[in-house]
C-alpha cells in the first residue's frame, strides 16, 4: 500500500489556525507551554511572522483532513530563527525539515535552533534532514 501523496507549501492564511493547532498538538509538553508566548510575540507582525509556517498537505480531493504536518520557522533578531519541528515522523516530517532548511538558506538565517525536551520523541533522522544536529543538553 503506497502512502498518500502530499505536497509541502507555505501555509495559506485560511489554514493558519488549523496549522497552528496541529503544530501545538504535536509538540512536547514543554514546547506546548512555550508556543503561546512565541505566538504572542509575533501577534503584531501579522502575515510576515508566518511566512515560515510550512505545511505538508494532502490534496483536498484525497482527504478532507488535508494538513498532515507542520513546521514553523520563527524569525528572531539578528538573522536568527527558532524552528518548531513537526512530530509526525516518516517521510513527510523529513520533507518538512528539508523545506525549513531551504527556507532558512533563502532568508540568509545564520543561526537557527530547535529546543527539544529530552523526553520528546523526536526522530534524529528528521532533524538531520533539516541539517540540525544535537549540540548540547541543557539542564
Amino acid at each position: 500500500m503506497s502512502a498518500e501523496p502530499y505536497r509541502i507549501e507555505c501555509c495559506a492564511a485560511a489554514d493558519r489556525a488549523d496549522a497552528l493547532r496541529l503544530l501545538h498538538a504535536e509538540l512536547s509538553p514543554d514546547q506546548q507551554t512555550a508556543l503561546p508566548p512565541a505566538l504572542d510575540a509575533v501577534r503584531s507582525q501579522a502575515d510576515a511572522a508566518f511566512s515560515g509556517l510550512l505545511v505538508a498537505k494532502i490534496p483536498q480531493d484525497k482527504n478532507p483532513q488535508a494538513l498532515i504536518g507542520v513546521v514553523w520557522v520563527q524569525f528572531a533578531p539578528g538573522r536568527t530563527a527558532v524552528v518548531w519541528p513537526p512530530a509526525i515522523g516518516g517521510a513527510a516530517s523529513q520533507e518538512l525539515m528539508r523545506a525549513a532548511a531551504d527556507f532558512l538558506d533563502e532568508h540568509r538565517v545564520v543561526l537557527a535552533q530547535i529546543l527539544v525536551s529530552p523526553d520528546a520523541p523526536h526522530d534524529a533522522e528528521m532533524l538531520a534532514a533539516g541539517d540540525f544536529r544535537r549540540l548540547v543538553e541543557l539542564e
Side-chain angles (χ1 to χ4, degrees):
M1 178 178 216
S2 64
E4 288 286 336
Y6 60 87
R7 62 183 183 273
I8 306 296
E9 59 188 44
C10 289
C11 185
D15 292 331
R16 189 176 300 149
D18 289 337
L20 290 171
R21 274 191 289 276
L22 180 59
L23 178 65
H24 186 268
E26 293 178 341
L27 295 174
S28 70
D30 290 345
Q31 290 172 313
Q32 286 181 3
T33 301
L35 184 60
L39 291 171
D40 285 342
V42 299
R43 189 175 309 258
S44 65
Q45 297 174 19
D47 291 340
F50 297 103
S51 63
L53 188 62
L54 309 173
V55 295
K57 195 170 187 180
I58 295 173
Q60 286 282 6
D61 61 332
K62 302 277 185 186
N63 185 341
Q65 185 65 21
L67 299 177
I68 61 169
V70 181
V71 63
W72 183 28
V73 175
Q74 178 189 15
F75 293 117
R79 292 185 15 210
T80 65
V82 175
V83 177
W84 300 85
I88 56 173
S93 67
Q94 291 182 19
E95 288 298 319
L96 281 164
M97 288 303 295
R98 278 192 270 285
D102 291 345
F103 184 86
L104 290 163
D105 289 344
E106 289 168 17
H107 289 84
R108 297 184 175 163
V109 172
V110 295
L111 175 71
Q113 65 178 345
I114 296 176
L115 299 176
V116 179
S117 174
D119 57 343
H122 283 89
D123 179 359
E125 288 181 24
M126 177 206 46
L127 297 176
D131 293 330
F132 284 90
R133 63 184 182 276
R134 183 180 181 164
L135 294 179
V136 67
E137 186 170 324
L138 301 175
E139 290 188 26

